[in-house]
């Protein structure tokens, strides 16, 4: 099992080259990340002032669920008042004004490389806070809404808090028939894995095809044959404040990428095994070819003969 990184590797390497290695040169680079996210890194003013912009189709939805508060909390003065044209937000980093402390540089590099992750954390943090209100006796009638984030053109994440849990639903589409088969096997394994004694404390996972879960019946009224739904049921022990909550948010965000990455790896592995088996069969066939008996052969003395 391979766990994907939560941060953007190219963005992290670019920052490390400038903050740790002292690299100072002009840059004009566009980076494409998972889920249709686009980064734009540039130095429009001077080589020491780095502009990092992000564009994401679901940005307005994330703002509605509290993304701006998270951006202010994490990036503060680095946020530009006006983003670069064509992008949703821009961070401006003066490389010469960054503290020389190594820990401060590492923290800044990590925060900036987690820009996409921190944006998508907004609805999760809101849902976790709403669930805590259900346990607060001073607020006997808390309310929560079903939050929907269309983070891909044909796929979405749905998040809903209730009195004892937070439900996270992924809708995913498999365009290739082979991917549907692999996806069904993988997702069914997620459902069955919780039966093992060592995984009893893991979140409950439910998997369905065509028919949407009960939480989505008000939004999706018709069955969708090409869409599968994966439901994660998170209980309070899964999002305790602190490192546990942050790790839960990070891991659940990359579930879709994790699933499709491993489907592609499985297909590549099977193709490799099939090609190896074909090579073995060809060797067997080549060894089984009958020897041509009509060919003349010579002895040491130079005489020729034919085998009868």
């Amino acid at each position: 099992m391979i766990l994907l990184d939560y941060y953007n590797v190219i963005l992290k390497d670019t920052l490390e080259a400038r903050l740790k290695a002292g690299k100072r040169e002009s840059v004009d680079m566009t980076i494409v990340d998972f889920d249709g996210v686009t980064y734009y890194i540039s130095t429009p003013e001077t080589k020491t002032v780095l502009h990092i912009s992000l564009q994401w189709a679901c940005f307005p939805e994330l703002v509605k669920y509290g993304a701006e508060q998270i951006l202010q909390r994490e990036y503060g003065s680095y946020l530009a008042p006006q983003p670069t044209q064509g992008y949703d937000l821009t961070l401006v980093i003066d490389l010469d004004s960054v503290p020389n402390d190594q820990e401060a540089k590492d923290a800044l590099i990590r925060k900036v490389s987690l820009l996409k992750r921190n944006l998508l954390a907004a609805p999760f943090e809101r849902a976790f806070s709403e669930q805590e209100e259900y346990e607060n006796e001073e607020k006997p009638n808390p309310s929560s809404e079903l939050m929907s984030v269309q983070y891909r053109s044909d796929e979405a994440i749905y998040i809903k808090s209730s009195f004892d849990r937070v439900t996270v639903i992924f809708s995913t589409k498999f365009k290739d028939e082979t991917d549907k088969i692999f996806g069904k096997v993988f997702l069914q394994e997620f459902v069955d894995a919780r039966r093992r004694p060592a995984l009893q404390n893991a979140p409950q996972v439910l998997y369905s095809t065509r028919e949407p879960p009960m939480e989505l019946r008000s939004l999706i009224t018709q069955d969708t044959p090409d869409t599968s739904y994966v439901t994660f049921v998170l209980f309070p022990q899964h999002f305790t404040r602190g490192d546990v909550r942050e790790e839960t948010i990070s891991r659940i965000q990359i579930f879709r990428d994790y699933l499709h990455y491993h489907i592609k790896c499985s297909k590549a592995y099977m193709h490799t095994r099939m090609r190896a088996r074909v090579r073995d069969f060809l060797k067997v066939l080549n060894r089984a070819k009958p020897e041509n008996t009509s060919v003349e052969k010579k002895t040491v003395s130079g005489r020729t003969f034919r085998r009868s």
Side-chain angles (χ1 to χ4, degrees), residues 155-199:
E155 299 180 18
I157 302 176
Y158 305 93
I159 307 170
K160 179 74 165 63
S161 62
S162 56
F163 71 97
D164 65 340
R165 68 191 65 187
V166 171
T167 304
V168 181
I169 303 172
F170 285 84
S171 68
T172 184
K173 286 190 175 183
F174 301 106
K175 297 180 181 180
D176 187 59
E177 290 297 327
T178 308
D179 288 357
K180 291 181 182 179
I181 298 172
F182 278 98
K184 184 176 180 180
V185 173
F186 270 99
L187 294 173
Q188 191 60 46
E189 181 62 24
F190 270 92
V191 177
D192 297 339
R194 197 169 181 264
R195 299 174 183 174
R196 303 172 186 172
L199 299 177

Side-chain angles (χ1 to χ4, degrees), residues 172-175 177 180 209-210 223-229:
T172 184
K173 286 190 175 183
F174 301 106
K175 297 180 181 180
E177 290 297 327
K180 291 181 182 179
T209 56
R210 298 174 59 91
D223 293 348
T224 49
D226 295 333
T227 305
S228 300
Y229 299 93

Side-chain angles (χ1 to χ4, degrees), residues 55-245:
Q55 188 275 329
W56 200 359
C58 65
F59 183 80
E61 296 175 341
L62 297 174
V63 170
K64 185 172 65 173
Y65 300 133
E68 287 187 344
Q69 289 81 355
I70 292 179
L71 290 174
Q72 287 292 338
R73 181 189 72 198
E74 296 293 332
Y75 304 103
S77 60
Y78 293 114
L79 279 171
Q82 292 294 330
T84 302
Q85 185 177 2
Y87 291 84
D88 298 309
L89 67 94
T90 298
L91 302 179
V92 180
I93 302 175
D94 188 346
L95 302 176
D96 290 339
S97 65
V98 175
N100 290 325
D101 181 24
Q102 191 62 40
E103 291 185 1
K105 290 182 179 180
D106 290 338
L108 177 59
I109 291 171
R110 179 167 178 78
K111 281 200 300 185
V112 175
S113 61
L114 288 172
L115 182 57
K116 170 179 175 279
R117 180 265 178 207
N118 291 335
L119 270 176
L120 192 54
F124 291 95
E125 291 193 7
R126 177 172 172 177
F128 296 156
S129 298
E130 289 174 350
Q131 196 282 326
E132 290 175 345
E133 292 181 359
Y134 281 96
E135 301 177 358
N136 189 350
E137 296 180 355
E138 298 179 358
K139 297 181 180 179
N141 296 312
S143 60
S144 62
E145 63 172 314
L146 176 64
M147 292 177 281
S148 171
V149 180
Q150 195 77 29
Y151 71 114
R152 297 177 66 89
S153 59
D154 52 358
E155 299 180 18
I157 302 176
Y158 305 93
I159 307 170
K160 179 74 165 63
S161 62
S162 56
F163 71 97
D164 65 340
R165 68 191 65 187
V166 171
T167 304
V168 181
I169 303 172
F170 285 84
S171 68
T172 184
K173 286 190 175 183
F174 301 106
K175 297 180 181 180
D176 187 59
E177 290 297 327
T178 308
D179 288 357
K180 291 181 182 179
I181 298 172
F182 278 98
K184 184 176 180 180
V185 173
F186 270 99
L187 294 173
Q188 191 60 46
E189 181 62 24
F190 270 92
V191 177
D192 297 339
R194 197 169 181 264
R195 299 174 183 174
R196 303 172 186 172
L199 299 177
Q200 289 297 309
N201 294 327
Q204 184 180 3
V205 181
L206 305 173
Y207 169 61
S208 62
T209 56
R210 298 174 59 91
E211 185 177 348
M214 290 294 295
E215 292 85 353
L216 304 183
R217 296 293 172 83
S218 59
L219 292 177
I220 305 173
T221 57
Q222 296 181 349
D223 293 348
T224 49
D226 295 333
T227 305
S228 300
Y229 299 93
V230 187
T231 304
F232 290 89
V233 182
L234 305 177
F235 296 101
Q237 67 266 25
H238 298 132
F239 49 86
T240 306
R241 285 187 178 273
D243 294 340
V244 174
R245 175 174 295 190

